[in-house]
Amino acid sequence: MTVARLEGIRACVFDAYGTLFDFTSAAASCSDLLGDKLDRLNTLWRDKQLQYTWLRSIQGRHADFWQVTGDALDFALDALAINNPDLRPRLMDIYRTLDAFPEVPATLERLQRAGLKIAILSNGSPAMLEAAVQHARISHLIDAVLSVEEVGIYKPHPKVYQLAVDRLALEPTAIAFQSSNAWDAYAASAFGMRVVWCNRNAQRPEHLPGKPDRVVTTLAELPGILGA
């Protein structure tokens, strides 16, 4: 089936965790210690990580994503009664160098060859994002790495999406924003960006302002949508 192209796009902006980088790969690397609690830890860790970003934003008590990630992990380990003292430092260390999804390098290369600017816009701290990009060996494919630390508040606050507009010097409608998180995709659309929701895990559509322009299950579909 042919998908109608998005016209007038000059830059692609990607969410990091869950979109470019597989956050489940950290716990998967510790399956020897987690056993049958692996999937539950992955789910609870991610859920609390996002909840803490939203709650800190509402409270006006910002802390960087590294601290939030550790706090969420502590909650998950406590909730699941996982008491192995070697596990927390191992998981946090792996989180710095998460695996990229398999299609990411080739997708970015095609977009770059088509002359599109490429950026990351993430809740991650600058140090976390730098480590992830270097580990995935995609730094030569990225024009800008933008962290919420520049504005001191987390997605989905409009100040975060404005970062990409300002840095790339483009109108929102000239930017294709890609995220695997439904809430993030809808927020970017409400802000005014064109949005390709990479719905890797069959999430249901949100009942929120905005609406993704296209929905895919892998970033490998993106170049075709953009004529790259």
Side-chain angles (χ1 to χ4, degrees), residues 117 119 143-147 150 162-170:
K117 294 182 180 179
D143 296 300
V145 179
L146 309 176
S147 167
E150 295 186 40
Q162 186 66 40
L163 274 175
V165 170
D166 293 343
R167 184 66 61 86
L168 297 171
L170 294 171

Side-chain angles (χ1 to χ4, degrees), residues 100-119:
F101 287 101
E103 79 277 15
V104 166
T107 296
L108 297 183
E109 286 174 4
R110 284 185 62 181
L111 298 173
Q112 186 184 67
R113 286 200 302 269
L116 294 165
K117 294 182 180 179
I118 300 172

Side-chain angles (χ1 to χ4, degrees), residues 29-35 37 41 73-74 76-92:
S29 298
C30 297
S31 59
D32 56 323
L33 299 178
L34 288 169
K37 294 182 178 180
L41 179 77
L73 177 57
D74 290 338
L77 293 173
D78 288 345
L80 296 175
I82 299 173
N83 301 311
N84 188 323
D86 297 327
L87 188 57
R88 186 192 192 278
R90 182 171 163 184
L91 284 168
M92 290 297 289

Side-chain angles (χ1 to χ4, degrees), residues 52-53 55-64 67-68 152 154:
Y52 286 169
T53 65
L55 290 169
R56 282 186 171 276
S57 293
I58 292 169
Q59 294 174 0
R61 299 181 67 87
H62 184 77
D64 74 17
Q67 179 177 328
V68 168
Y154 286 106

Side-chain angles (χ1 to χ4, degrees), residues 183-195:
W183 56 268
D184 190 19
Y186 278 72
S189 173
F191 177 80
M193 292 177 174
R194 312 298 297 279
V195 174

